[in-house]
Amino acid sequence: MARICDRFIEEVKQRYPYEPEFLQTVEEVLTSIEPVLQAHPEYVESGIIDRLLEPERIISFRVPWVDDQGKPHVNRGYRVQFNSALGPYKGGLRFAPNVYPGILKFLGFEQIFKNSLTGLPIGGGKGGADFDPNGKSDAEIMRFCQSFVTELYKYVGPNEDDPAGDLGVGGREIGYIMGQYKRLTNQYDGTFSGKGTENGGLAGRTEATGYGIVFFAREMLKHYGDTLEGKTVVISGFGNVAWGTAQKLEQLGAKVIAFSGPDGYILDEDGVLGEKVDYFLDLRNSGKNICAPYAEKFPGAKFFPGEKPWGVKADLYIPCAMQNDVHLEHAKQIVANGCKYYVEGANMPTTNEAVEYLQKHGVAVGPAKAANAGGVACSCLEMSQNAQHIVFTPEDVFAQLEGIMVNIFKQIEDACKQYDLGDNFVAGANIAGFDRVAKAMKWQGFV
Ligand code: GLU
């Protein structure tokens, strides 16, 4: 039987042939919600899919800034306001040289379903600039952030659009952005999340994404009657997500034995534990974005320049770096290592064919939209804290986060059961995320 989703995938291919990342996520999501489209023809008839595939708005602007030598530069800044059916647009800002509308559309599209899975009132958006923060001085970063928000502030607000961080945008950048926003608007509000705790930020927001990933992994293992206790883990990246993930894994009795950076990977059979996890922060603050210095500092560890860590044998793999980090050849290595569990920490870190290969070979795959939703969920708690002019304790935050992650896995299990998907958690997450958005869109009429 012809699939309903094919027409939409074909249309996106024709219309946006130069946005491969967007196409990749559209293909993955639409293919997996096919059983819902078959069961609910009204979603197609009422134009929900056509509307879901077009951002409500894309703002594109110039970001002029001057470097420390007085030389002028111009970057391109964007905000993709993808879907506001469930609440104000919510999603991070990414500063990286490869940022262009196709990357932000992929991230914004994923964000719609991720935010829906959290059960919180947040729509989907994403933004950023093709600016490379690596090697820039603090003063340059500040001038860039100020220039960026001097345009962006016109389109954001607590009930309108609430950006946070993403790759290249951490607490420091959000601080500069918020400071200039406040100067321009005279408002001390919760528009930006990921702020420092002195600035209305949420206790635990930095760890939230990683902690959430591990809570999700714990639930996934529980589904198989298994636990994290004593498991060996390979991760990629050493940013906030990897840092929080490694910390929580240690707390729950698992051990990270390898992690990677753009320069290669580190194998540390004794375990990346305690102060070694915190050393991620020093690596990042060095501004060089390399993991090699770890092996000099901790002599038990070995550095493999230019290589990826997926050949290292472990029980669980958690890519926490970038999109499309894990290709088919890596999926083959992971399967050959005899692994049973794979949880995506970064956004779309696995190519579609690699996900398919893992699943076909009996690896349980926890998709990013679900597994890393703890970050944005805590951003929403930050919005709520700011709107109420109160402060949540770390205990409040982590208890709420844990509840949200447990509930996300439960929604996936329910969708898998309802649509007879076995343990295809990727499809289950897409279906559960889609369900809430589709209902909200239908209810709001043809807008
Ligand atoms: N950038 C994170 C994500 O991919 C967080 C977004 C947010 O907190 O708004 O979900």
Side-chain angles (χ1 to χ4, degrees):
M1 194 167 62
R3 298 190 315 177
I4 297 170
C5 65
D6 286 334
R7 164 168 80 82
F8 296 105
I9 295 172
E10 212 33 58
E11 276 176 20
V12 171
K13 254 186 211 160
Q14 302 275 331
R15 194 165 291 127
Y16 302 112
Y18 43 84
E19 295 179 352
E21 300 85 0
F22 178 54
L23 191 59
Q24 182 180 338
T25 174
V26 165
E27 206 157 8
E28 185 225 278
V29 171
L30 290 194
T31 304
S32 59
I33 62 167
E34 176 69 19
V36 187
L37 303 183
Q38 300 275 359
H40 295 275
E42 72 274 15
Y43 287 154
V44 177
E45 283 152 19
S46 60
I48 282 175
I49 308 302
D50 296 283
R51 285 180 286 147
L52 200 52
L53 293 172
E54 277 316 314
E56 289 173 19
R57 192 175 301 105
I58 300 183
I59 298 134
S60 161
F61 51 95
R62 151 176 109 199
V63 190
W65 61 283
V66 175
D67 69 21
D68 289 345
Q69 281 67 49
K71 189 168 173 259
H73 297 267
V74 174
N75 284 88
R76 281 130 296 276
Y78 309 94
R79 186 74 182 163
V80 177
Q81 297 183 332
F82 221 122
N83 191 295
S84 61
L86 295 178
Y89 310 105
K90 178 89 196 89
L93 298 170
R94 177 176 288 198
F95 289 169
N98 66 356
V99 162
Y100 78 106
I103 291 264
L104 298 177
K105 278 175 68 182
F106 123 61
L107 290 163
F109 190 69
E110 296 251 307
Q111 201 83 44
I112 302 169
F113 305 100
K114 182 193 309 198
N115 295 3
S116 167
L117 281 167
T118 65
L120 297 167
I122 38 179
K126 203 84 187 191
D130 61 353
F131 170 74
D132 188 356
N134 280 317
K136 302 291 189 296
S137 72
D138 198 50
E140 287 171 332
I141 298 278
M142 181 169 77
R143 287 197 294 277
F144 182 82
C145 290
Q146 290 176 339
S147 179
F148 179 80
V149 75
T150 297
E151 185 58 29
L152 184 72
Y153 90 97
K154 299 167 189 165
Y155 311 100
V156 296
N159 296 314
E160 188 177 354
D161 185 350
D162 301 78
D166 195 80
L167 290 180
V169 179
R172 172 181 63 166
E173 289 75 16
I174 290 293
Y176 293 147
I177 288 172
M178 178 212 168
Q180 178 75 352
Y181 169 87
K182 184 161 63 68
R183 190 175 172 208
L184 290 162
T185 61
N186 218 16
Q187 298 293 313
Y188 202 118
D189 60 32
T191 296
F192 294 95
S193 26
K195 303 180 291 289
T197 45
E198 301 78 10
N199 296 293
L202 186 80
R205 172 63 188 90
T206 320
E207 301 91 315
T209 312
Y211 280 25
I213 290 166
V214 179
F215 289 138
F216 182 91
R218 184 193 66 192
E219 294 307 296
M220 194 170 99
L221 267 67
K222 207 189 271 174
H223 177 89
Y224 296 99
D226 206 348
T227 70
L228 283 169
E229 187 68 44
K231 294 282 184 295
T232 51
V233 188
V234 170
I235 63 178
S236 62
F238 53 86
N240 276 346
V241 178
W243 174 66
T245 300
Q247 237 185 53
K248 191 45 113 191
L249 282 168
E250 179 177 356
Q251 288 168 17
L252 299 188
K255 184 166 84 170
V256 171
I257 51 165
F259 71 94
S260 64
D263 56 332
Y265 81 87
I266 296 283
L267 176 66
D268 187 347
E269 312 258 24
D270 298 336
V272 182
L273 303 167
E275 57 153 348
K276 295 175 176 176
V277 177
D278 285 328
Y279 187 62
F280 283 4
L281 303 179
D282 293 2
L283 286 176
R284 221 157 353 121
N285 293 342
S286 74
K288 295 199 183 89
N289 203 21
I290 51 171
C291 63
Y294 181 100
E296 282 159 38
K297 175 138 174 93
F298 303 108
K302 278 195 226 126
F303 174 56
F304 295 82
E307 283 184 50
K308 295 204 176 217
W310 312 120
V312 176
K313 204 171 161 57
D315 301 310
L316 167 64
Y317 293 77
I318 312 183
C320 298
M322 268 269 195
Q323 68 271 3
N324 291 332
D325 187 12
V326 179
H327 291 239
L328 182 60
E329 74 209 77
H330 309 123
K332 286 183 177 165
Q333 286 180 306
I334 290 171
V335 167
N337 291 337
C339 135
K340 284 216 302 254
Y341 308 115
Y342 179 91
V343 173
E344 295 184 326
N347 289 316
M348 203 171 75
T350 328
T351 64
N352 289 352
E353 52 174 8
V355 171
E356 224 171 273
Y357 185 89
L358 291 169
Q359 289 181 318
K360 254 195 201 130
H361 290 81
V363 178
V365 177
K369 280 183 210 79
N372 77 17
V376 73
C378 284
S379 279
C380 188
L381 299 183
E382 184 170 330
M383 286 161 65
S384 156
Q385 162 176 291
N386 295 156
Q388 297 176 76
H389 305 278
I390 56 167
V391 176
F392 295 140
T393 64
E395 293 74 30
D396 284 340
V397 173
F398 294 133
Q400 292 209 51
L401 171 65
E402 189 168 355
I404 289 168
M405 298 314 296
V406 168
N407 186 46
I408 289 178
F409 191 75
K410 165 115 194 4
Q411 291 177 68
I412 296 177
E413 278 183 319
D414 290 348
C416 286
K417 246 189 232 141
Q418 190 184 344
Y419 287 94
D420 213 2
L421 302 168
D423 287 346
N424 186 346
F425 304 135
V426 176
N430 287 334
I431 288 177
F434 171 75
D435 185 62
R436 203 168 155 242
V437 183
K439 284 183 180 140
M441 286 178 76
K442 190 159 169 264
W443 189 67
Q444 287 170 24
F446 194 70
V447 291

